[in-house]
Every structure is written in structure tokens, then in C-alpha cells.
Amino acid sequence: MNDDSQQDPLDDITEYIGKDESKSSLTLARQSMPRRMYVIPVSNRPFFPAQVQPVVVNQKPWHETLKRVSETDHHMVGLCFVDNPDLEGPVPESDELEAMGCAVRVHHAQQEGGKIQFIAQGVQRIRIVQWLRRKPPYLVEVEYPEEPEEQKEELKAYTLAIISAIKDLLRTNPLYGEEVKQYLSRFGPDDSSPLADFGASMTSARGTELQEVLDTVPLLRRMEKVLLLMRKEQEVARLQAEINEEVNDKVQKHQREFFLREQLKVIQRELGMAKDDKTADAERFQARMAELSPPDHVVNRFEDELEKLQVLEQGSPEYGVTRNYLDWLTQVPWGQTSKDHFDLAEARRILDRDHDGLGDVKDRIVEFLAEGTFKGEVSGSILLLVGPPGVGKTSIGRSVADALGREFYRFSVGGMRDEAEIKGHRRTYIGAMPGKFVQALKDAKVANPVIMLDEIDKIGASYQGDPASALLETLDPEQNREFLDHYLDLRMDLSKVLFICTANQLDTISRPLLDRMDTIRLSGYITEEKLVIAKHHLLPRLLKRAGLLKKQFNVTDAAIRQVIEGYAREAGVRGLEKLLHKLVRKGIVQLLEKPATPVKINISDLVGYLGQPNFKREKAMKGTGVVTGLAWTAMGGVTLSIEASRIHSNQRGFKLTGQLGDVMKESAEIAYSYVSSNLRRFKGDPTFFDKSFVHLHVPEGATPKDGPSAGITMATALLSIARGEAPQQNIAMTGELTLTGQVLPIGGVREKIIAARRQKIDTLILPEANRGDYEELPDYLKEGLEVNFARHYSDVYAVCFGNKPKKGASVH
């Protein structure tokens, strides 16, 4: 093209190299430059003599300055850089302005919107010599630094280098072309000083870096700095060009693939080789439903929704809602069930394989399976496994599923506060989902899985609903035949599902929900059971997980027993497993240090591995007023020491400590009243409590304690101090007391027996009403125990103090 407007400005530069052109007549002769000058601060970037650019300043406070400049003959003003990107704030102090600036001629000043814009034509470097006025309008006395003479050969080399850098920048950013044309209208390519300043002004360097160029008067040093800045700019421009090219390539590739894919779809539809997305969705849903055996009301709903799907546009929101609904509807296993394995011998083998101990629990589960075998199906019963943490409730649920040959699905309801988790959301909501039971059936792919609801005693409630109430329909065998999920809005039959729930305690489970479940209690383990579990299950699993062989790592039975008794006395085995894992980890460290030496851990090694024992062998509590009781907690059975003491004999009084709940406080008051009124019968001083201030304490005051099972224990402690005689040693008791001395039954007999055995207590006192509970316990739990059953407190007295009470001495 011959159009001059399209001519590359670089051609003009190349033509002028070597020619001796005078500067533009726009520049002023040095002798006519003013010595006094007004200055205006500029931010972001300093102004260079080679520039011609618009400058915008605030009308206030620079209007007066520009007015005075317009009244001068030369129309010159100094522009000095301020390292402050925000000049909208306070007016900068004079000390903030750089001493080196640029004298510019002001052209075409205009006011608009509180701003003044003018064209600044850079003329000459200036250096502020003296401040004549330090408040706007700033007035200064300036000098014009002169450049020292430089060698022409070096200047020409640097000039060519800068011109080459300008060419590269123009190739990557053609917008610089207009600036080059403005420069060539005023200077020639061989004007090295303006060329250096112009090269600096083309870069995007920081203002402080450009000010260093402006401060440098010697030309060669200035050109070195300019070349460095331009090299950085070239590198940035090169990287930007590469990024743009890469992005463009990706966009073009994706666009090309999109067009080809759309063309392929059209060609395939024309040839009958493929269908559109809507048809493909409909056929997939129909194929799924054809493999199922849904009831009639499900088939009708499916056909209605499928017809709606085929009418809707794919881009409409309703299409996505309907498609998701059909997706869920066709993934529910309507009529698909797995065949149960009714083999009681195999079921018992699986239970014995997975669990040691828990004989009564296994018998109860076998009875449940036997009932299902007799009638041909397992349904109509919801099992609730209750016990302390770590006793194997969840794993028993898995074993039941294995014994029946059913799919197993587990989810925790602990902390659940939204009833939609159970019954689903209405599908009108964005992000609506079915409830957990529909999801369980989808994942299990059969309509009769074993579904375990963990931590049902920790279910919550909030403004979003009450999930425990939502479970009532689900867990009621008479109602769950027509369970309604809000998302599907269809009746589902959950009666074939075997539900197994787990809980640590029954107190927090709502009574209507508890009535729908068949409770099976899992008590804690005694030392012998824990030892077998550690050898058969815990340690082999830990060795397999760590990749160790049995010959590489061995823990003696005596060491495991010491771990159980000295470090892990909790009812379950979770803490024991953590301690064994710690032994395995430390053993691996030894094996890595000495690979050829197997690790063998004895009792003497435990302190080095695990530190000092948390529980030491406790001596039997002795002394007057000291009695051991038995209590039940959510963590299992525990022994409970109770102490009574006479503080003084100045006045009658009774004090209770130990963070006792209302029920235990009531038991203490009853025990105090009963013993006080029957002291003569139990061979004590009848006036003892009339002149005694008595303190009854249950140690471990930081632990809350409550429950109706400590009455006879408290009465025995009070009677002991009244008689001045210690009760028989190594005796533990549990039972509630009435004002007439009747001993009432208690709960948690098994847990309390286990706690007594854990403390090596061999003589127990239980209520007569709990004799049947004791007789049902396994023989290994009863072995070596002397158990006394009490109907009246006189039976307790006879065991603890070795004689019978006086007859007819009661005040009642």
C-alpha cells in the first residue's frame, strides 16, 4: 500500500540516522529559558523533555498556578514527580517534590468537571535551586543542567540499540506508533538525549525508576539505564504475546471442536445413526425402568413425567428438574430384592469369627434370625444395640448383614437437625434431594438391605424440624410399608429393610421412638475378654495395616493384660486399640534401626513404651464411714466410693458434696433419715445424729453423678460412723433405699458386675428383685463372686457388719 498514513514510523527513524538535522523550532533557545518558574506536582510517572502529552490536574489548588503561567510570555511550567499515586487528597508538601523535573510549555488549557486539562510539551530538564514560595502556587528558581561531552562512537552504538528496542516494542504493541510520530515531528533519530528520554517514556516502569533516568544528566549513563528498562519491557511484552497466542490457540481449538461436534450430531441424526440428548435421556430412563418391577402407581408417575420431559425444551429449568426426578425414580430398586441366607450355624460362625465375648448378644441375634427362618423372611423388628463406646455395636450390624447375605448401608444420625435428611426435600426447591433412605436403596441396589442408623441417641432438633419424629414412620413396622419420601412423592415399601440402630444410652431417645425398637444391651468387657479380643482381632489387624509379620513383632499375654489393667480400663476396646497401635509404631522404629532383631514386648518394657500406668492397683478402701458402691454410666459400669465423716458434735447437721444430681441428693436424704430413725435397731447410739454435723462425700467432685442406685451405699456409710465401726472390706453394693428400709431394684446389673470384677471385688450386694438379671449372666462373669441379695436394709446390715439387727427396735 502507498498510503502515507500506513507507513511504519521506524522507516523515518532509519532514514534520519547520520543526518545533521536541527531541533524543532518548537524548542526554546537556552538563553531564552526563564530562571523563575511555577511548578506543579505529577504522580505515577515523571514527565520527560521528549514527551508531548495531555496532563490533567485538579482545578483546586492548581487553577491559580495555570492562570499565572498563562500571563507569562513563555507559558512555561515545571512538572515535578511526587511518589504518591493519589493526588486527590491533601496538597503535597514542597519537600515531597523531586528536585529534578521537566520544563514544559502549556497548550490548550481547558476546565471541565473540577479538572483542568492541558497539552504539555516537554522542553528541558530543570533542577530546583531555591524555593521562592512553598505553598500553591509553588514558585521556584531553577537551573538547566548541561550534559557533558560524550564519545560519538559510543553514543551512536547506544542510539542504535535504543532504536532497535523501540522497533521490537512497536512489533508487540502498535499503539506506540503515534508516540513515535510525535517524537519524529520534533527530533531526529540522532538526537541521542531526547531519544533516550523518549525510550524511557515508552516503558511501563515504576515512577521511581523513571525518576532515576530523569535525574541522570550524563548521557551514556542515562542510556544504560534506559536500555535496561527497555529490555525488561521487551521481556514482559514477549511473555504477554506468548500468553495471548496460547490463549488464542486454545479458543480456536475449542471452537473448531465445538463446530465439528455439532456438525457430527446433525450428520448422525440425518443418517439415523444417533439421537438428540432428549431422546437419549428418555430411552435411558425407559431401559432402566424395564429392568425393575415397580408397582402400578410408580409406573403411572413415570409415564407422566416422561411425557412431560419430551415436551419441555432442553434449555428450560423445568427440563433439568424433571430429568433429575426421573434419574432418581429409575435408580430406586423397585421390586429388586436379594435372597436371604437362613443358616443359623453359618450365622453363629460369622458372629463368633467377628466378635469374642458377647455371648448373650449373639444368642439374641441368633434368636432373631431363627424367627426369620421360621416364617421365611426377616422383617417387622427394629434392633437397637445399646452400649458404651467401643464395644462393637457397628461391627455387629455388619456381621448380621454378612450372616443374611444382604447389602449393608450405614449412616450416622448423630447431630442431624433437618428432617429433610430423613424424608427428603420438596423437588420445587433448588438442589432438592431425596432422603437418606432413598439414597441407601439406590446405593444398595436392592429393596431389602441392612440399614444401620448410628448414634440415634444423639439426634438433634432445630427450627428446620425434628428428625426423631420423622423417624417414627420409618421405624414403625406397621407404617413403613407406605413410607412417603417428599422428593419422590411416592409411597415406598420399607418393610423388607432390616433396620439396626446404635446408641450409648436410652435416656435421650424419645419414648415413642424407643417403643418401636427391640433393645439389645452390650455391656463392657472384662479383662479376660479384652485379652482375647486383642490377640484375635486388634493386634492382627494392626500388624496387617503396618505390613509387619508376626515373627517381627510380638507382645506377650502378660504385657497385654498389663496394658488393659494399667492403661485401658474403659468398657470398650477402642482405647486399647490405640495403645496397641502406639506399641506397633514404636516397634517399627526399632525394626528400622535394627532390622535383624525382632521386637518382643514384655511387662517390663511397657513403661518405656507407654509411660507410667494411668491406673495403679488400688488398695481396698478401708476405714469407718468408707463404702464402695456400683454405678452405671454411658461409658459402662464404674465403682463409686462414698465417704461419711462426723465433722463436730456442736449441733445437728448434714452436708453433701461431690457434684450430685437431684436423684442422688434425694437418696442421701432418705438414707440419712432412715439411719437416724433406726440407729437403736442397728446397735448405734440413738442420739448420735442429734448432736453431730455429718458430711457425706462422693469423691471425684469434678464428675457429675446422678441415679437411683446409691441409697444402701450411703446408708451403710452413715451407719458406719454412727456405730464407730468399719464395714466388712472388699464389698461393693448397689440398690435404692426407701424410708421403710425396702431395697428397690436397679438397672445395669451386667455393667456393674463387670466394674466390680475389674476392681478385683469378689463380694457384692444386689437387690433381691435383680436376682433374675444376675442369674441370666454368663457363668464366666459369675465365677468367683459371692453375691448377696437384699430385700430389706437389714440384709445389707447383716453382710456388712457381720450380725443381725435387734428386733423391735425400729421407730416405724
Side-chain angles (χ1 to χ4, degrees), residues 454-698:
D454 255 338
E455 314 294 350
I456 200 168
D457 58 326
K458 300 177 181 63
I459 197 167
S462 70
Y463 68 92
Q464 295 171 311
D466 183 5
S469 299
L471 281 175
L472 294 177
E473 178 187 4
T474 308
L475 300 184
D476 191 337
E478 300 300 324
Q479 298 183 44
N480 62 12
R481 295 179 182 276
E482 293 187 349
F483 173 76
L484 180 65
D485 182 87
H486 290 161
Y487 182 82
L488 294 181
D489 198 24
L490 291 170
R491 297 291 176 180
M492 302 175 61
D493 185 3
L494 295 183
S495 61
K496 295 181 174 59
V497 177
L498 174 57
F499 293 99
I500 301 178
C501 307
T502 69
N504 297 130
Q505 57 187 2
L506 300 178
D507 299 346
T508 56
I509 302 177
S510 67
R511 186 56 53 185
L513 187 59
L514 189 60
D515 289 343
R516 287 164 168 78
M517 297 184 283
D518 190 0
T519 303
I520 301 177
R521 289 190 174 272
L522 285 78
S523 305
Y525 299 107
I526 60 176
T527 300
E528 288 73 15
E529 291 175 325
K530 284 188 176 181
L531 178 62
V532 174
I533 292 171
K535 291 171 60 178
H536 292 174
H537 299 282
L538 303 182
L539 202 53
R541 184 166 67 229
L542 291 171
L543 294 178
K544 182 179 179 181
R545 190 186 304 168
L548 289 174
L549 301 176
K550 290 184 179 179
K551 63 181 181 181
Q552 293 177 297
F553 184 88
N554 181 41
V555 185
T556 64
D557 291 357
I560 296 177
R561 183 181 295 273
Q562 175 59 20
V563 172
I564 295 168
E565 295 181 346
Y567 298 87
R569 285 190 182 178
E570 76 279 357
V573 294
R574 200 166 286 153
L576 175 60
E577 184 176 13
K578 291 178 181 177
L579 292 169
L580 293 176
H581 191 195
K582 188 174 183 179
L583 294 178
V584 170
R585 291 198 307 268
K586 291 184 177 293
I588 291 174
V589 174
Q590 290 189 9
L591 285 174
L592 292 176
E593 293 173 351
K594 298 178 181 179
T597 306
V599 177
K600 185 174 183 180
I601 299 176
N602 297 302
I603 293 181
S604 57
D605 303 321
L606 290 179
V607 174
Y609 281 93
L610 302 178
Q612 292 296 327
N614 301 325
F615 307 96
K616 300 186 183 298
R617 181 66 183 275
E618 300 175 359
K619 295 181 180 179
M621 299 188 69
K622 298 179 181 180
T624 303
V626 180
V627 183
T628 301
L630 296 173
W632 179 91
T633 70
M635 304 296 289
V638 294
T639 56
L640 197 66
S641 299
I642 294 179
E643 301 172 327
S645 177
R646 181 184 189 185
I647 306 302
H648 58 75
S649 58
N650 297 331
Q651 62 180 5
R652 183 184 181 93
F654 184 54
K655 181 179 181 181
L656 282 171
T657 55
Q659 198 171 347
L660 307 180
D662 292 338
V663 177
M664 286 196 75
K665 289 179 182 178
E666 182 180 286
S667 297
E669 295 287 349
I670 293 173
Y672 180 73
S673 298
Y674 176 76
V675 173
S676 299
S677 60
N678 289 275
L679 268 179
R680 186 184 302 279
R681 181 182 182 188
F682 296 119
K683 301 178 182 179
D685 182 3
T687 64
F688 177 82
F689 288 105
D690 295 337
K691 53 187 176 182
S692 301
F693 189 91
V694 177
H695 185 177
L696 186 70
H697 175 62
V698 184

Side-chain angles (χ1 to χ4, degrees), residues 275-285 305-327 427 487:
K275 305 174 183 65
D276 59 14
D277 293 340
K278 186 189 297 187
T279 305
D281 286 341
E283 291 186 355
R284 182 169 68 254
F285 296 145
E305 295 293 329
L306 189 63
E307 184 178 349
K308 183 197 299 183
L309 183 77
Q310 293 171 339
V311 172
L312 293 170
E313 292 293 333
Q314 284 185 267
S316 69
E318 184 67 19
Y319 180 87
V321 172
T322 305
R323 184 189 179 281
N324 289 340
Y325 178 81
L326 287 170
D327 188 35
R427 61 173 171 146
Y487 182 82

